[in-house]
């Protein structure tokens, strides 16, 4: 009996030690992520306004959102415009800059640090205020184009260009994706380029036949992360344009914020949040479903060779 007890205790020693080591993360996950997530799901089925007791209303919030809320559709349209425009441009910019920085040039580390620096400050309020001043009527951008004879305007006050300024800000903050692309470029064997050069392939062919296929898993990762982050964009739209002009930049997160903290409709805003979660999950699943047609994994080719 004693031997059995000792052996059973030994079996549990390792799991208990593991749970003890990850207990800070578990406590944080349960208290700061899982519990608020479930609580917001409960609130989405209530008429919770902070000003009166919680009243259960079932699916009324969701029905109202899809049937009698024009701002929901308007904010969703603006959000999709932002995602469709900003994510591909940001990935293209990150990849091109990563390829430029993947050179054996003297002082290349300084250039990499300088280019990555904007991503350290991220989408902060200070950067958004700076961007608002740059593209204002009296901003430096209008002064620069005036030198070349072009007439400036209020880029953030025009419905035709306001969204473009937000997209440009997102593209400018390409540093994180660029670093990941740069790491992927370092992993591509130089023998592939040398062999293709011997066969007569130019740099254009090498880019589409070697670089892109070898980077496809990293493109897939950056695409998923970029879509998730773009759907949640809030700070730049709130500080730079505040949803204007004419609601052209009235993105979904801004509408959710207004419902929650201006109208104090926390139940309604919780329903909006869960709808956005479902949209993000669906978008991620679509990208994941199509990845088998364009994402290349080296382990898969090895498995196919072994099967043959």
């Amino acid at each position: 009996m004693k031997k059995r007890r000792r052996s059973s205790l030994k079996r549990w020693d390792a799991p208990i030690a593991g749970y003890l080591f990850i207990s800070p993360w578990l406590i944080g996950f349960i208290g700061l992520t899982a519990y608020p997530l479930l609580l917001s799901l409960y609130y989405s089925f209530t008429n919770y306004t902070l000003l009166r007791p919680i009243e259960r209303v079932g699916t009324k919030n969701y029905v109202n959102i899809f049937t009698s809320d024009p701002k929901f559709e308007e904010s969703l349209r603006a959000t999709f415009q932002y995602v469709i425009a900003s994510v591909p441009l940001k990935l293209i910019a990150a990849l091109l800059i990563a390829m430029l920085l993947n050179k054996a040039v003297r002082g290349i580390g300084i250039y990499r640090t300088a280019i990555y620096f904007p991503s350290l400050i991220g989408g902060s309020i200070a950067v958004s205020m700076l961007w608002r001043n740059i593209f204002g009527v009296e901003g430096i951008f209008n002064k620069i184009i005036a030198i070349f004879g072009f007439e400036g305007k209020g880029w953030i006050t025009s419905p035709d260009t306001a969204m473009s300024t937000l997209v440009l800000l997102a593209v400018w903050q390409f540093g994180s994706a660029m670093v990941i692309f740069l790491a992927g470029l370092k992993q591509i064997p130089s023998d592939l380029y040398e062999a293709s050069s011997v066969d007569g392939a130019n740099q254009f062919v090498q880019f589409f036949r070697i670089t892109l296929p070898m980077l496809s898993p990293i493109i897939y990762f950056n695409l998923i992360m970029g879509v998730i982050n773009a759907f949640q964009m809030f700070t730049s739209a709130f500080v730079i344009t505040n949803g204007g002009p004419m609601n052209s930049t009235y993105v979904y997160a801004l509408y959710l914020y207004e419902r929650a903290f201006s109208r104090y409709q926390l139940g309604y805003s919780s329903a909006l949040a869960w709808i956005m979660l479902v949209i993000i999950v669906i978008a991620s699943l679509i990208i994941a479903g199509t990845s088998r047609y364009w994402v290349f994994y080296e382990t898969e080719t090895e498995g196919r060779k072994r099967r043959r």
Side-chain angles (χ1 to χ4, degrees), residues 14 17 24 43 56 72 74 83 107 111 125 133 156 168 186 204 208 215 228 230 235 269:
Y43 286 155
R56 296 181 182 179
F72 166 74
E74 193 174 14
V83 172
Y111 295 116
I125 295 176
N133 292 330
I156 61 176
L168 186 60
K186 295 292 185 182
F204 183 81
F208 285 98
L215 285 180
I228 293 174
T235 304
S269 63

Side-chain angles (χ1 to χ4, degrees), residues 13-82:
D13 282 344
I16 290 175
Y19 284 121
L20 287 176
F21 278 114
I22 66 172
S23 60
W25 179 87
L26 283 176
I27 294 172
F29 174 76
I30 295 172
L32 301 177
T33 303
Y35 176 70
L37 192 67
L38 296 175
L39 195 62
S40 70
L41 179 62
Y42 169 73
Y43 286 155
S44 68
F45 296 100
T46 66
N47 185 19
Y48 181 32
T49 63
L50 281 181
L51 303 176
R52 53 188 175 181
I54 297 176
E55 176 187 359
R56 296 181 182 179
V57 295
T59 59
K60 183 179 178 180
N61 288 331
Y62 293 96
V63 174
N64 290 339
I65 289 173
F66 287 106
T67 59
S68 59
D69 190 350
K71 282 195 172 183
F72 166 74
E73 182 180 351
E74 193 174 14
S75 64
L76 203 59
R77 187 186 304 112
T79 303
F80 271 99
Q81 289 176 355
Y82 177 81

